[in-house]
């Protein structure tokens, strides 16, 4: 099993697909990496030689920001918005949608499980 950027890459998937397991590498970047290193699209990860794995590892370290560094940068950007007290920062702080989505209905992923509010009790005579 190959280990690139601190992530175990699945052995029996195509290289282009298995590179996506690394945080910060999606379909476009995975295809770009394979094209730069001239690795055929149908090649499986377990068919890669040690030298090819080393070349992939070096290319990713040299040209891309992935895993811990990228996560840290994203977290710092969010923290900066929160410290500024701008609208987006306030939305992050309150755990609400940041990009203008409606919250009257929906937004359950950000807001969490719905909490029932007790209504008026009916008084019977």
């Amino acid at each position: 099993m190959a280990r690139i950027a601190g992530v175990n890459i699945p052995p029996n998937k195509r290289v282009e697909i298995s590179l996506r397991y690394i945080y910060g590498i999606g379909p476009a970047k995975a295809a770009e990496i394979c094209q730069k290193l001239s690795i055929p699209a149908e090649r499986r990860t377990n068919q890669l030689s040690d030298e090819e794995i080393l070349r992939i590892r070096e290319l990713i370290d040299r040209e891309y920001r992935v895993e811990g560094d990228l996560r840290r940068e994203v977290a710092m950007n969010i923290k900066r918005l929160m410290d500024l007290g701008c609208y987006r920062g306030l939305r992050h702080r309150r755990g609400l949608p940041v990009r203008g989505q409606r919250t009257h209905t929906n937004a359950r992923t950000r807001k969490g499980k719905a909490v029932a509010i007790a209504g008026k009790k009916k008084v019977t005579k």
Side-chain angles (χ1 to χ4, degrees):
M1 183 178 285
R3 191 166 172 83
I4 300 173
V7 177
N8 292 330
I9 302 297
N12 40 358
K13 293 192 178 197
R14 291 188 348 216
V15 177
E16 201 170 302
I17 303 298
S18 60
L19 283 175
R20 297 182 198 178
Y21 280 68
I22 301 170
Y23 181 79
I25 295 181
K29 285 185 182 177
E32 185 181 307
I33 290 168
C34 289
Q35 188 252 325
K36 277 183 182 177
L37 298 175
S38 63
I39 295 172
E42 65 277 353
R43 180 86 61 86
R44 303 280 170 170
T45 307
N46 57 7
Q47 296 171 341
L48 290 174
S49 67
D50 290 339
E51 189 253 321
E52 285 174 321
I53 293 171
L54 186 65
R55 283 180 24 221
I56 292 172
R57 197 176 293 139
E58 287 172 349
L59 179 74
I60 289 173
D61 287 343
R62 189 174 59 242
E63 294 187 20
Y64 299 98
R65 188 172 292 131
V66 293
E67 282 300 324
D69 294 337
L70 183 59
R71 289 180 202 271
R72 195 173 310 107
E73 182 181 327
V74 170
M76 290 304 295
N77 289 339
I78 293 171
K79 186 180 181 321
R80 177 180 51 81
L81 290 171
M82 288 165 61
D83 291 343
L84 282 173
C86 66
Y87 182 76
R88 283 172 56 202
L90 294 176
R91 302 297 283 184
H92 274 293
R93 205 178 295 161
R94 292 179 186 153
L96 293 168
V98 178
R99 297 185 177 181
Q101 297 92 331
R102 67 181 290 132
T103 56
H104 180 71
T105 60
N106 304 332
R108 279 292 137 216
T109 303
R110 285 291 292 181
K111 290 169 75 174
K113 191 162 174 58
V115 179
I117 298 171
K120 266 189 172 175
K121 300 276 188 210
K122 288 189 178 179
V123 180
T124 56
K125 292 183 180 179

